[in-house]
Amino acid sequence: MMRIYAPTWEIQDNMFEVLNMNVISDKGNLTPEIGLEFNTLDEVWNYWIDYGKHMGFSVRKAFVNKSKKDGRVTTRGFVCSKEGVRRVDQRQLNPDSHRDETRTNCTVKLSLSLVQDSGKYRVYEFVAEHNHLLHLANTTYMMRSQRNISEVQGFEIDLACSAGIKLKKAHELMSRQAGGRSNLGFTKDDQKYYLRTKREKDMEYGEAGSILRYFQEETIKNPSFNYAVQLDNEEQITNIFWADSRMLINYIYFSDVIIFYTTYGTNKALRPLAVFTGFNHHRGIIVFGAALLYDETIASFKWLFKTFLAAHKEKMPQTIFTDQDAAMAKAINEAMPNTFHGLCSWHIMQNAIKHLAFLQKGDSTILEDFAKCMFHYGNSFEFEEAWDAMNDKYNTPENSWLQGIYCLKKKWAKC
């Protein structure tokens, strides 16, 4: 099979005409045809995955219709992962940041219907023309539908984690064993999500029981000790919050500005340890509360912030500083609507190093220029002038990360 790609800088007004010519191939037996039959829907799905890999596009499942009589699937659809368009979130008509668009309203699809006599599924519709560029053969392993962690690979990941091998090193080792990343079948992020999901499910009753027993002992010692536990619909512990008497007293005096972060994982399950901290009048670090979270979602953060305020008699801080986490920001906006939400300057600079390091070449000083925009200008005119000068100097007006952080400039930490 041969593929012809148009360079992105040549795709202009005739974009769709060029894109529709991006594949010239002899598709062979993998090409779906009207009337082709399959024994089961699993067989169809595996076939569609293989076809997507062969052609260079990621796939996903679409519509399904079932019989009201016996519940059998009567029609089923499979599409390209870029099918459709992203829905507009009515709750955020003017969001502070925009995610990159991943869908192109691609029309490629495979539709099947149930043959009542044989019980097989027959193809009745197939659309082959894409409106976007396809993957090269050496990059198809990165497509979502082609990534999967097998049972054996999961065992190896668990073994490496138990041995204390860091995630990056473990992924590199497994890639070499498989003969390269393209043969491994999953990415480093997939490996991270696999460990997180498994660890969230592996919290033993003994650990939860020990925590609750400790809370009960502390409550007996000092009735002011405050803790709360959130359960899921199966009565399993998800999120845990606590604040001792010293934390409660400190908050009364020093709650104007608080810092919240979930940087640490304290045990083999790596459950996020969330900590509310601040400064006293001697610039000493003090703690206002802590929590072990099940995950870092909007629902978990919202429960935590409301529980935190309940423990401190609904006294809201004037300012809260966090890292640049979208779920955290959404929960703060709902739970603490009158509190100013600022972004930690240290986290912003760490993200700047990660997203702008590729421009730090030769005599480039983009990181220094960015730091000056953050810290060295006292009024908006000087800042805007320096920001425009930096974009012109490094030709970065279209840089998505810089645009996103610029939209959040009102949240940058201030003295």
Side-chain angles (χ1 to χ4, degrees):
M1 180 180 68
M2 179 176 69
R3 303 182 181 186
I4 297 178
Y5 289 82
T8 54
W9 56 84
E10 294 180 3
I11 301 174
Q12 298 177 354
D13 296 336
N14 60 342
M15 175 180 178
F16 293 109
E17 295 180 10
V18 175
L19 289 175
N20 281 331
M21 296 174 60
N22 61 1
V23 176
I24 299 177
S25 64
D26 179 11
K27 300 175 185 176
N29 295 330
L30 279 176
T31 305
E33 297 178 353
I34 304 299
L36 185 63
E37 293 187 347
F38 298 87
N39 294 321
T40 64
L41 288 175
D42 288 338
E43 185 179 324
V44 182
W45 175 237
N46 291 330
Y47 170 84
W48 188 239
I49 290 175
D50 291 339
Y51 176 71
K53 180 178 181 181
H54 176 69
M55 298 303 296
F57 68 96
S58 188
V59 301
R60 60 185 175 85
K61 298 176 181 179
F63 67 87
V64 58
N65 295 311
K66 296 182 179 181
S67 170
K68 295 182 178 180
K69 293 181 179 180
D70 54 14
R72 297 177 66 187
V73 175
T74 55
T75 55
R76 190 69 162 105
F78 302 91
V79 295
C80 171
S81 64
K82 293 184 179 293
E83 180 269 345
V85 294
R86 182 184 297 162
R87 295 179 180 177
V88 177
D89 190 345
Q90 299 297 331
R91 297 168 298 177
Q92 287 186 310
L93 294 178
N94 297 303
D96 293 332
S97 61
H98 297 271
R99 293 181 298 154
D100 292 337
E101 187 62 60
T102 58
R103 297 193 183 186
T104 63
N105 204 20
C106 182
T107 59
V108 168
K109 60 182 175 180
L110 180 71
S111 304
L112 303 97
S113 60
L114 176 66
V115 180
Q116 296 295 339
D117 295 338
S118 63
K120 295 183 178 182
Y121 289 91
R122 179 181 298 164
V123 176
Y124 70 86
E125 184 181 20
F126 171 60
V127 179
E129 294 294 335
H130 293 269
N131 65 355
H132 56 89
L133 292 174
L134 304 184
H135 280 261
L136 294 169
N138 60 352
T139 62
T140 54
Y141 75 95
M142 300 178 67
M143 299 188 303
R144 184 66 190 91
S145 60
Q146 300 300 326
R147 287 155 32 202
N148 180 53
I149 297 178
S150 67
E151 185 176 346
V152 174
Q153 290 172 330
F155 177 78
E156 291 180 350
I157 293 173
D158 293 336
L159 192 63
C161 181
S162 300
I165 302 176
K166 293 185 177 180
L167 186 146
K168 183 178 180 180
K169 295 293 183 182
H171 186 263
E172 183 179 347
L173 175 62
M174 295 180 68
S175 298
R176 291 184 179 181
Q177 289 176 337
R181 294 183 180 181
S182 59
N183 299 323
L184 187 57
F186 60 89
T187 64
K188 186 172 65 176
D189 285 340
D190 295 328
Q191 183 175 337
K192 179 178 69 175
Y193 297 143
Y194 167 83
L195 286 172
R196 176 183 293 178
T197 301
K198 185 176 184 301
R199 286 160 178 166
E200 288 171 351
K201 294 178 180 178
D202 286 347
M203 184 174 182
E204 300 177 1
Y205 173 78
E207 295 177 348
S210 298
I211 292 174
L212 294 178
R213 184 167 60 251
Y214 169 77
F215 288 163
Q216 291 172 354
E217 292 174 354
E218 290 299 309
T219 303
I220 294 174
K221 294 178 183 177
N222 191 332
S224 297
F225 186 89
N226 187 291
Y227 74 92
V229 176
Q230 185 184 35
L231 306 178
D232 61 15
N233 55 5
E234 296 180 355
E235 300 298 320
Q236 300 294 317
I237 292 178
T238 55
N239 301 316
I240 305 172
F241 168 82
W242 69 94
D244 61 26
S245 56
R246 175 55 60 186
M247 297 175 186
L248 299 177
I249 294 173
N250 283 335
Y251 189 81
I252 293 174
Y253 294 105
F254 307 109
S255 60
D256 289 348
V257 179
I258 67 175
I259 304 112
F260 175 74
Y261 50 90
T262 57
T263 307
Y264 305 107
T266 59
N267 59 5
K268 67 179 182 180
L270 291 181
R271 291 169 67 85
L273 174 63
V275 184
F276 296 88
T277 62
F279 290 99
N280 60 20
H281 50 304
H282 297 297
R283 289 191 59 80
I285 296 176
I286 51 178
V287 179
F288 302 131
L292 282 172
L293 299 178
Y294 180 80
D295 54 24
E296 297 180 78
T297 60
I298 295 176
S300 290
F301 283 133
K302 190 174 180 180
W303 174 86
L304 176 58
F305 294 141
K306 288 188 174 182
T307 304
F308 173 79
L309 293 175
H312 293 292
K313 310 302 181 186
E314 301 299 332
K315 182 181 180 181
M316 290 193 182
Q318 294 182 19
T319 301
I320 180 170
F321 287 126
T322 70
D323 60 16
Q324 195 176 344
D325 184 277
M328 200 180 294
K330 181 72 173 177
I332 290 174
N333 184 53
E334 294 182 12
M336 305 178 182
N338 298 322
T339 298
F340 172 75
H341 176 209
L343 298 178
C344 172
S345 57
W346 183 86
H347 280 101
I348 294 177
M349 287 306 303
Q350 294 303 305
N351 287 330
I353 293 172
K354 179 166 55 175
H355 290 91
L356 303 179
F358 72 98
L359 295 172
Q360 188 78 8
K361 300 177 181 178
D363 58 352
S364 171
T365 58
I366 187 169
L367 292 176
E368 295 179 15
D369 293 342
F370 178 78
K372 287 181 180 178
C373 289
M374 286 191 61
F375 301 115
H376 288 191
Y377 300 105
N379 62 63
S380 60
F381 177 79
E382 291 178 345
F383 165 79
E384 295 292 348
E385 192 175 54
W387 187 269
D388 291 339
M390 180 183 69
N391 279 325
D392 293 339
K393 181 178 179 181
Y394 301 102
N395 193 25
T396 56
E398 302 300 325
N399 184 285
S400 59
W401 184 82
L402 279 175
Q403 286 183 340
I405 200 65
Y406 174 82
C407 292
L408 298 174
K409 60 183 181 295
K410 292 184 179 180
K411 288 188 175 184
W412 294 1
K414 291 187 263 185
C415 178

